[in-house]
């Protein structure tokens, strides 16, 4: 069979499966599927206190990229491009991230760029690389994410909001603090504090159980760093090995004692919102045919993604709109999905999205979420991929969705199929 005819058959197969849709079509394997052969992350540690608090984002990235090379077995000279999601890095982090890739062991022939779509930056980086591979621009790439919230989080992250932007009635709502708008949304949608605290406590309990059972061992890479003790000021070498935001003894009752953070009689507080954290994550992508030729194991397949936009003040409802848009593209329903990894920016928005979509709660974040381990903004989207594949393997599932709300009023979701 000629090369041209073989390619026509591949295209025909894609078109017919897309038209047919359904879960069975997702499970079909093709040489030009975009597959993930390695998905890793650092531990996520508490902002201002954890072992990664004094480590710059560039150094976190260098650590996770170095681990990706060693654990995946990839020849770094074969990697043509690296996209790094990051939200807070000054100047987008472009210069530091290129330098970090060189430190990690990638050659000067591997290109690097930064990506910022706020809380979906890590996922957007992966999707961008996947699309490059689909288009034939590159053969192998890395989608990554990193954030040092300890060193870069705060008002300085939005430095050029001009008087022109501030004078526009809708545009000016892009800088309303997310805690404030989430509190108002929770009130407007009548999401009670008791429900939020119960959801948050469940996240902690699931994460603790998963940590104790070693469920994160395949995705977490220990990182040796220098750390200054906040109490004594002593600087010493330490090794970050676990997500230190996961804590024992968290119950709805204990969370019910925490003071509201954004309104005197509000419902949102530090215990039922995502933690400020530091960390990095990275995913290696290529075509199935490339993985086979290199004898690399396949964790799963990237199917597609969906992006939506909505009023900035309704930021938290992004998954509510992105997930149906994604599923509709493939003629599947909630029932076809085994696990939903939905970023827990706030318990309030997560509860509302899940309940409104009719997703069974036992399908949502089975190993806990950002409320328990934290949300390093640029890293979460890439972190979710490894967590999802691990969860699907443990439960014997195949199809999963990752999703998150996005600051300024957006939402994103992506569809994946696990292989094991």
């Amino acid at each position: 069979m000629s090369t041209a005819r073989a390619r026509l058959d591949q295209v025909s197969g894609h078109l017919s499966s897309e038209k047919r849709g359904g879960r069975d079509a997702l499970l079909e394997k093709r040489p030009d599927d975009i597959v993930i052969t390695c998905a890793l992350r650092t531990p996520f540690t508490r902002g201002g206190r954890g072992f990664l608090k004094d480590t710059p984002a560039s150094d976190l990235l260098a650590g996770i990229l170095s681990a990706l090379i060693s654990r995946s077995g990839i020849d770094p000279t074969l990697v043509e491009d690296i996209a790094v999601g990051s939200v807070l890095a000054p100047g987008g982090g472009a210069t530091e991230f290129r330098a970090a890739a060189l430190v990690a062991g990638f050659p000067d022939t591997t290109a690097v760029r930064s990506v910022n779509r706020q809380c979906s930056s890590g996922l957007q980086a992966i999707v961008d690389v996947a699309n490059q591979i689909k288009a034939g621009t590159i053969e192998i790439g890395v989608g990554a994410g990193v954030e040092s919230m300890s060193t870069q989080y705060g008002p300085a992250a939005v430095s050029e909001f001009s008087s022109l932007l501030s004078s526009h009635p809708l545009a000016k709502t892009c800088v309303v603090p997310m805690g404030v708008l989430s509190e108002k949304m929770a009130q407007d949608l009548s999401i009670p504090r008791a429900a939020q605290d119960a959801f948050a406590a469940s996240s902690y309990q699931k994460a603790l159980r998963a940590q104790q059972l070693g469920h994160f061992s395949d995705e977490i890479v220990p990182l040796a760093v220098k750390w200054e003790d906040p109490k004594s000021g002593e600087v010493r070498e330490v090794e970050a090995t676990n997500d230190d935001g996961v804590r024992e003894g968290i119950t709805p009752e204990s969370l019910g004692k925490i003071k509201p953070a954004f309104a005197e009689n509000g419902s949102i507080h530090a215990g039922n919102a995502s933690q400020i954290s530091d960390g990095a994550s990275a995913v290696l992508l290529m075509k199935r045919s490339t993985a086979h030729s290199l004898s690399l194991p396949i964790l799963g397949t990237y199917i597609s993604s969906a992006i939506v936009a909505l009023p900035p003040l309704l930021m938290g409802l992004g998954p509510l709109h992105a997930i149906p848009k994604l599923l509709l593209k493939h003629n599947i329903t909630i029932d076809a999905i085994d696990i939903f990894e939905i970023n827990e920016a706030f318990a309030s928005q997560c509860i509302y999205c899940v309940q409104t979509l009719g997703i069974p709660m036992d399908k949502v974040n089975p190993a806990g979420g950002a409320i328990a381990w934290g949300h390093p903004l640029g890293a979460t989207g890439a972190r979710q991929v490894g967590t999802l594949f691990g969860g699907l393997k443990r439960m014997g599932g195949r199809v999963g969705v990752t999703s998150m709300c996005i600051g300024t009023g957006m939402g994103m979701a992506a569809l994946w199929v696990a292989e094991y």
Side-chain angles (χ1 to χ4, degrees):
M1 181 184 294
S2 69
T3 302
R5 178 56 188 271
R7 180 58 185 151
L8 284 172
D9 287 346
Q10 286 182 357
V11 171
S12 175
H14 273 302
L15 292 174
S16 62
S17 65
E18 287 178 5
K19 184 177 180 180
R20 184 171 67 254
R23 182 179 167 106
D24 289 343
L26 300 179
L27 301 179
E28 294 176 6
K29 295 179 181 180
R30 305 173 188 84
D32 55 352
D33 287 338
I34 307 302
V35 301
I36 292 82
T37 63
C38 190
L40 301 174
R41 66 178 178 97
T42 69
F44 286 0
T45 68
R46 291 176 291 173
R49 290 178 288 177
F51 278 172
L52 300 182
K53 72 179 180 68
D54 302 310
T55 305
S58 56
D59 294 12
L60 295 173
L61 180 63
I64 199 63
L65 291 179
S66 176
L68 190 76
I69 293 173
S70 60
R71 283 211 189 177
S72 70
I74 190 68
D75 176 352
T77 64
L78 299 177
V79 177
E80 297 172 83
D81 203 3
I82 300 172
V84 183
S86 191
V87 179
L88 303 175
T95 300
E96 302 94 309
F97 297 165
R98 162 70 161 158
L102 295 171
V103 168
F106 285 100
D108 58 14
T109 53
T110 300
V112 181
R113 70 182 185 279
S114 59
V115 177
N116 186 352
R117 200 197 284 274
Q118 304 216 42
C119 297
S120 71
S121 297
L123 175 57
Q124 188 64 62
I126 293 171
V127 170
D128 285 357
V129 169
N131 287 337
Q132 285 179 280
I133 297 170
K134 280 185 178 181
T137 307
I138 64 172
E139 295 260 342
I140 301 174
V142 173
V146 66
E147 213 72 66
S148 173
M149 298 185 76
S150 290
T151 63
Q152 296 170 336
Y153 186 62
V158 181
S159 58
E160 296 183 2
F161 211 82
S162 67
S163 57
L164 173 64
L165 304 183
S166 299
S167 67
H168 188 281
L170 190 58
K172 69 181 181 181
T173 63
C174 286
V175 289
V176 175
M178 282 188 275
V180 174
L181 65 85
S182 293
E183 181 65 66
K184 185 178 187 307
M185 192 192 78
Q187 293 178 3
D188 291 345
L189 297 176
S190 301
I191 306 168
R193 171 164 176 167
Q196 297 176 53
D197 288 349
F199 181 91
S202 175
S203 181
Y204 276 106
Q205 293 160 6
K206 289 185 291 186
L208 178 63
R209 182 168 59 253
Q211 191 176 73
Q212 291 172 336
L213 293 172
H215 287 173
F216 304 130
S217 59
D218 287 342
E219 63 184 86
I220 289 183
V221 175
L223 210 58
V225 296
K226 290 184 178 180
W227 177 75
E228 180 180 328
D229 189 314
K231 295 182 179 178
S232 68
E234 176 191 4
V235 177
R236 64 179 191 268
E237 294 275 350
V238 297
E239 186 176 55
T241 58
N242 286 309
D243 305 316
D244 66 3
V246 179
R247 296 192 286 277
E248 295 186 26
I250 302 296
T251 65
E253 292 73 26
S254 66
L255 294 177
K257 300 174 182 177
I258 301 176
K259 183 179 179 180
F262 304 105
E264 185 175 351
N265 296 314
S267 60
I268 297 176
H269 54 79
N272 62 21
S274 57
Q275 298 182 39
I276 293 172
S277 307
D278 306 313
S281 51
V283 173
L284 182 62
L285 301 99
M286 62 193 74
K287 287 184 179 179
R288 182 181 300 279
S289 56
T290 305
H292 285 165
S293 68
L294 296 174
S295 299
L296 294 176
I298 295 174
L299 299 180
T301 306
Y302 163 75
I303 303 298
S304 72
S305 64
I307 184 73
V308 297
L310 55 156
L313 292 179
L314 298 179
M315 171 275 306
L317 302 185
L320 177 61
H321 301 278
I323 291 173
K325 181 178 180 180
L326 176 68
L327 301 186
L328 184 62
K329 289 169 63 175
H330 298 277
N331 191 29
I332 56 176
T333 65
I334 297 294
D335 293 340
I337 309 301
D338 298 308
I339 292 179
F340 290 84
E341 283 288 336
I342 301 176
N343 188 42
E344 299 169 354
F346 299 89
S348 55
Q349 54 84 211
C350 208
I351 290 170
Y352 188 80
C353 292
V354 169
Q355 291 182 345
T356 304
L357 289 171
I359 302 174
M361 197 60 75
D362 61 0
K363 287 188 174 186
V364 178
N365 303 346
I371 289 173
W373 349 295
H375 173 31
L377 304 175
T380 290
R383 185 278 303 165
Q384 287 180 314
V385 178
T387 306
L388 175 67
F389 285 150
L392 288 169
K393 182 178 180 180
R394 283 188 295 274
M395 70 166 292
R398 294 295 307 278
V399 183
V401 165
T402 62
S403 185
M404 67 284 291
C405 60
I406 304 171
T408 71
M410 291 178 281
M412 193 169 185
L415 186 61
W416 314 84
V417 173
E419 299 181 24
Y420 42 86

